[in-house]
Amino acid sequence: MKKHTQHLKLYDIRNSLLEDFANHPENNANGVDLIGKLLSFSERHAVSGNCWQYYVAYFIANNVNAFSLSCERKPNFQGSLAEFAYEECRHLMDIFNYPLSSLPTVDNSANLLKNFKSATTESQLPYARIIADFTDKLKKCNTTKAFLECVENFYCDYGVGELGLNKAFRVVDRDGSAKLVPISCMDKKRLDDLVGYQLQKDKVLQNTNAFLEGKKANNVLLYGDMGTGKSSTIKALINEYYDKGLRVIELYKHQFMHISDLISKISSRNYKYILYLDDLSFDDFEVEYKYFKAIIDGGLEVKPDNVLIYATSNRRHLIKEHYSDGNDIDPMDELHKSDTKNEKLSLVARFGLSIYYPSPDQQEFLNIVHELAKRMNLDIEDCVLDKKALTWAIRNGVKSGRMAEQFVNSLLH
């Protein structure tokens, strides 16, 4: 086993569990330590079956190298790099099929590792099911060629590493540069789960489909009253189009300085990225919007075709305005106020598609309540439900989709 590690160049296994496994099979203490690592990993990811093979599949799926990136960008990859990958897969196949019974383990641990059953029902890994399916496919490979083709197909279908396999990310500042951190706990709602606002959802869908198909698409601003489903619509897109290569990156205005760095990290990957800016607005003293305007449209650096910006806001024009902005000359303040107004309005003009989400009227509010109650199998008369819903809305001071959902949830107590 140890002799194989020196051949692995595309798949660098230094500082990995594979190296521990390869270098210390004869040492019982390290063998036990390896089992502890495998058990911890398998329990965390809710593995069912051969946890060693699952880990190797996980390692292959997350190993970003020249070959995996090339497969991600180009299906049926050929060339010298593919020949190198063939040799790598010959050794990876041996590692994948390594008999755990050869380990100096205690009692019946080898058999338990081969037939692992996690006590947890849901993995902390958003793409755990994908890795499990990949593991099953690798098990069926009887030749190196088949093993290589399986790996190639995986990279072509799902990509490689965190950027390919995760659905959504947040941005973290690490030593002055942008670090993408996967978001593991996410809302699982899809667009059909969102009640109402069909016209608005259709506009978002049309633009997003064009984006995914490589056609011209616009940056999108979803604006309107609170609780009307603006953010929920974008979150639902993640679940709706993950299989088609859509990824979403959540970004806040204090992180705009990282946008150029962020784009450089994702522009060469074979996915479509939405930069998601939730509850976007600016006060007078905040000047980040000037930098943001240049990033969206107007700077020398062109935004790549695989990146769009979707933002939500309660404000139509994003930047706080004053009544005095309408006066061109104000002797007590700035001259040519219309210039200031145009500067502020030019930001929202950078969004090619603006979609308004109004608060529902009373009947629309009740329609949403009834649909949600139906989905929850609530057994309550319509007239009683209407009265309770309107009372709830009056007490809370607003009618919205969010308020309707909160009301229905209260009936489930």
Side-chain angles (χ1 to χ4, degrees), residues 4 17 33 62 69 123 164 209 229 263 271 377 383 389:
H4 293 320
L17 182 58
D33 183 56
N62 281 280
L69 288 175
S123 171
N209 279 319
I263 288 178
Y271 311 102
N377 297 317
C383 59

Side-chain angles (χ1 to χ4, degrees), residues 313-325:
S313 180
N314 294 331
R315 289 178 176 171
R316 170 68 177 88
H317 294 137
L318 300 180
I319 304 173
K320 185 178 180 180
E321 298 177 87
H322 299 281
Y323 181 77
S324 61
D325 288 344

